[in-house]
């Protein structure tokens, strides 16, 4: 690692401030697509542009090589530019949304997708991606649940690690690797009422138990950067939150990398009412340890005055500059400022067959079969030539990409009609749009449905109904889709619903009346090939929900690892009337965390423990038999949950602690075996410790968070 102290001494304050500022790529491209956020734009002067440290949202080998060359010609200190971008689940070969990919319960697939995304990004000149998003998701009204890995800390941590390892490998300077920036620190997903950017109030207990593990896992996996979040956390906006970034991130967790603000989040502290002007916003951000200011210029405009007033020290600026220079050094940019940018490699790797095949495989594994009365799989060539009718707004749509799909293009996606037509004889009349409908089209579709044997009904949300700033107060099917579905159900033929959506939807009527429901999410470039693979039975679905589906939006936020309350419904002492419930609906989810079906069935045996007593530093084994009781091979995700019966703080009704994906042939039986040790029992106790407290625990081995056989043991 070069010693940058000498270089920093030679830099003027303005040159240093430019080095820790990030600009949009206005200088290099007309493409304004990455501009987002508040309408805060500023004219960067020549000196700032010539000395800026990093650029947001530009890609393309030729363009970036030219930009880097030009920059180094004008840069007095020959400091290379760092190009950063939002490559969240693919660069141009787009994988399913992160929420979808988390339903694979296979971190190795997420790692594979990140490696491919890194390769396509690196040959296009990108050095760092603003991923993984480690925010925990609990409220389906919040549009950004689509970018998360769901509601469980254990899974969130596994996926965060997998993304970082996939992007960075063991050395970010290696070919086809990019640096990873975890985000948004912290608890952004707890936006009150599910409304994006809204305030969050989260106890330190909840933060440490549920929210921090995902971020921590990314830090421990070696992520090079951390991004602040937009929200105020317990009254302090993250970008000015010294406790979060100095005490927790750097002192407790030992993070030595670089912190970047989210887009204009520093100047937004004025709107939060946390800074009276840009100078105070800059001071609070620098004091909190935010090294790079993303696309606002409070540092550049105010730091000099703050230093003169004694409100900041230049050492603080030097420390941030040094972190940025060291990141560029880790990426090898001082030796090779163009890194992997290569036009020939772009042509060879971007959207290549191998990447498309991986996208199709991962899309298949991310889909969740929510209901099936046996109507699926649809037999392709049946003796009596079934008439299959495809309808709904997603019947012939290319909108397979969610709102954060980088350079993915819908033109590269096939529609469900196109894909199915290659496999079987179908007729297709969409009948309605996502939001609009035209009576004659509806009647034509209903008539065609009446004349069919099986109906495929493809429904969902627009891509821009989830993602950043796209929160919904009603999470049912948008537009007239529910009414249209009722007309189709009324025809009285078997109906298979396929859902394309970014969040859990409240779809009780669909769940009740459809014969089958396949959750496809936004499945990416190869999405409809994957849907077809599952509908035809070429592949059996094996996805499991990582976020609960509510009966109604009124249940939000709803998640499995909640606390019991003193009046849990179905409590032996409390009549249902005086229990924690709704008088007009369910208090449990429509589809629980961990839920998903496949094309066979499984039977679980009783939980057998090696011992009903666990000693300190000891462990016990838990197992149960699993049998494939169907007529097809299938994969079951056997889940291990623990419940701490009582503690110095209330404990979740269940906590996922391990799982096994087990594939069995028809009739085959095996033992699902788990080891439970004291580490699994530890939590943040009332006296601020982190320990396992003696007492009774329940173990569930289950197919989802609301079922399972159980056994008890005691820690002594
Ligand atoms: C956005 C998002 C963040 C993204 C950043 C840069 O506002 O909050 O996730 O990485 O700006 O585009």
């Amino acid at each position: 690692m070069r010693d940058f102290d000498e270089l920093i001494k030679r830099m003027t304050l303005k040159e240093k401030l430019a080095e820790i500022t990030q600009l949009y790529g206005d200088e290099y491209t007309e493409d304004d697509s990455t501009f987002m956020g508040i309408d805060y734009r500023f004219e960067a002067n020549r000196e700032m542009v010539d000395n800026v440290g990093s650029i947001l949202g530009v890609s393309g080998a030729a363009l970036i090589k030219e930009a880097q060359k030009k920059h180094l010609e004008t840069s007095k200190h020959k400091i290379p530019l760092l190009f950063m971008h939002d490559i969240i689940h693919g660069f141009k070969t787009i994988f399913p949304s992160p929420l979808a990919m988390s339903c694979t319960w296979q971190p190795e697939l997420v790692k594979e997708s990140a490696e491919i995304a890194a390769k396509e990004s690196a040959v296009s000149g990108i050095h760092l991606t603003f991923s993984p998003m480690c925010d925990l998701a609990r409220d389906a009204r919040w549009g950004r649940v689509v970018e998360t890995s769901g509601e469980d800390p254990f899974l969130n941590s596994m996926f965060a690690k997998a993304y970082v390892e996939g992007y960075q490998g063991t050395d970010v300077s290696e070919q086809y690797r990019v640096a990873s920036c975890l985000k948004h620190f912290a608890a952004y997903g707890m936006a009150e009422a599910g409304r994006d950017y809204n305030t969050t109030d989260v106890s330190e207990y909840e933060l440490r138990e549920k929210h921090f593990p995902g971020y921590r896992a990314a830090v421990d996996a070696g992520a090079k950067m951390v991004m602040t979040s937009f929200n105020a956390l317990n009254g302090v906006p993250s970008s000015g939150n010294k406790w979060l970034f100095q005490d927790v991130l750097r002192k407790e967790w030992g993070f030595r990398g670089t912190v970047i603000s989210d887009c204009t989040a520093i100047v937004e502290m004025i709107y939060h009412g946390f800074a009276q002007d840009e100078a105070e916003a800059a001071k609070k951000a620098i004091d909190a340890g935010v090294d790079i200011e993303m696309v606002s210029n409070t540092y550049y405009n105010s730091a000099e005055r703050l230093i003169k007033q004694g409100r900041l020290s230049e050492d603080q600026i030097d420390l941030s500059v040094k972190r940025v220079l060291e990141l560029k050094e880790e990426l090898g940019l001082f030796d090779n400022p163009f890194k992997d940018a290569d036009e020939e490699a772009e042509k060879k790797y971007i959207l290549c067959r191998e990447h498309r095949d991986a996208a199709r495989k991962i899309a298949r594994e991310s889909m969740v079969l929510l209901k099936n009365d046996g109507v699926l799989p649809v037999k392709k060539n049946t003796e009596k030539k079934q008439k299959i009718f495809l309808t709904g707004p997603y019947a012939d749509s290319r909108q397979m990409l969610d709102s954060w799909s980088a350079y993915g293009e819908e033109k590269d996606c096939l529609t469900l009609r196109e894909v199915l037509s290659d496999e079987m004889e179908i007729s297709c009349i969409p009948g309605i749009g996502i939001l609009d409908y035209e009576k004659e089209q509806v009647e034509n579709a209903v008539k065609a449905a009446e004349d069919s044997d099986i109906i495929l009904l493809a429904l969902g949300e627009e891509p821009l109904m989830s993602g950043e700033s796209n929160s919904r107060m009603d999470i049912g099917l948008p537009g007239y889709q529910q009414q249209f579905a009722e007309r189709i159900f009324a025809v009285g033929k078997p109906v298979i619903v396929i859902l394309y959506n970014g969040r859990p939807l409240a779809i009780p009527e669909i769940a009740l009346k459809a014969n089958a429901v396949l959750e496809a999410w936004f499945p990416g470039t190869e999405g409809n090939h994957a849907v077809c693979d599952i509908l035809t039975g070429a592949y059996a679905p094996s996805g499991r929900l990582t976020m609960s589906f509510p009966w109604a939006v009124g249940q939000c936020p709803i998640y499995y690892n909640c606390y019991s309350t003193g009046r849990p419904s179905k409590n032996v002492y409390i009549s249902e009337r005086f229990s924690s419930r709704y008088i007009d609906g369910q208090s449990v989810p429509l589809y629980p965390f961990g839920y998903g079906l496949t094309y066979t069935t499984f039977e679980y045996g009783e939980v057998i423990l090696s011992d009903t007593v666990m000693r300190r530093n000891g462990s016990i084994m838990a197992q149960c038999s699993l049998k494939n009781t169907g007529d097809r091979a299938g994969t079951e995700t056997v889940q291990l949950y623990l419940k701490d019966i009582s503690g110095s703080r209330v404990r979740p009704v269940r906590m996922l602690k391990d799982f096994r994906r087990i594939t069995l042939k028809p009739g085959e039986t095996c033992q699902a075996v788990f080891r439970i040790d004291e580490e699994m029992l530890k939590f943040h106790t009332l006296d601020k410790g982190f320990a396992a407290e003696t007492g009774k625990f329940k173990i569930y081995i289950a197919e989802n968070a609301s079922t399972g056989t159980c056994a008890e043991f005691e820690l002594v």
Side-chain angles (χ1 to χ4, degrees), residues 497-544:
V497 169
I498 304 104
L499 293 171
Y500 297 83
N501 45 296
R503 59 161 57 77
L505 296 175
I507 47 163
E509 300 83 0
I510 297 288
L512 184 67
K513 295 178 183 168
N515 299 79
V517 182
L518 177 66
E519 175 55 77
W521 306 109
F522 283 116
T525 308
E526 288 293 323
N528 277 322
H529 272 131
V531 170
C532 180
D533 290 344
I534 288 178
L535 292 181
T536 60
Y539 286 82
S542 69
R544 295 289 183 276

Side-chain angles (χ1 to χ4, degrees), residues 36 86 130 144 183-184 227 230 262-263 294 404 468:
M36 51 201 29
D86 291 281
F130 295 127
R144 300 197 77 167
K183 66 189 185 182
H184 307 79
M227 184 185 292
F230 286 119
D262 200 340
C263 183
M294 186 190 287
W404 267 117
E468 182 172 353

Side-chain angles (χ1 to χ4, degrees), residues 22 24 34 36-37 56 85-86 88 130-131 133 144 147 183-184 188 197 227-228 230 261-264 294 404 468:
Q22 180 169 96
Y24 285 113
T34 47
M36 51 201 29
L56 163 63
H85 214 312
D86 291 281
I88 309 298
F130 295 127
S131 172
M133 186 206 216
R144 300 197 77 167
E147 302 170 57
K183 66 189 185 182
H184 307 79
Y188 178 32
Y197 315 122
M227 184 185 292
T228 69
F230 286 119
S261 75
D262 200 340
C263 183
T264 63
M294 186 190 287
W404 267 117
E468 182 172 353

Side-chain angles (χ1 to χ4, degrees), residues 439-474:
K439 186 148 181 46
E440 190 185 340
Q441 277 302 315
V442 168
E443 296 314 321
N444 290 345
V446 171
K447 192 168 174 355
E450 286 161 351
D451 188 29
S452 67
D453 299 316
I454 288 191
I455 302 163
L456 301 175
L457 177 55
L459 306 170
E461 293 180 306
E462 292 283 359
L464 279 175
M465 290 179 178
S466 60
E468 182 172 353
S469 81
N470 301 329
S471 303
R472 291 180 66 200
M473 61 171 73
D474 169 4

Side-chain angles (χ1 to χ4, degrees), residues 303-365:
E304 193 162 8
R305 184 158 30 95
L306 289 164
I307 291 168
K308 284 195 178 109
Q309 292 166 347
R311 296 168 63 192
L312 274 185
S313 84
E314 191 156 351
D315 292 349
Q316 290 173 278
I317 306 297
D318 291 356
L319 178 57
S320 293
V321 172
K322 187 167 186 177
R323 286 175 180 145
V324 176
L325 297 178
E326 286 177 347
L327 174 57
K328 295 180 177 182
E329 171 76 340
E330 282 192 84
L331 282 158
L333 296 180
F334 283 94
D335 298 324
N336 173 11
F338 306 124
K339 199 168 185 304
D340 302 320
D342 179 328
E343 294 89 323
E344 286 316 305
E346 279 180 312
K347 293 191 193 97
K348 181 178 177 189
Y349 294 120
I350 290 180
L351 216 55
C352 65
R353 183 73 264 152
E354 183 196 335
H355 292 180
R356 276 184 174 270
D357 290 348
R360 179 170 179 168
K361 171 185 71 176
I362 295 171
R364 276 197 301 266
E365 298 287 324

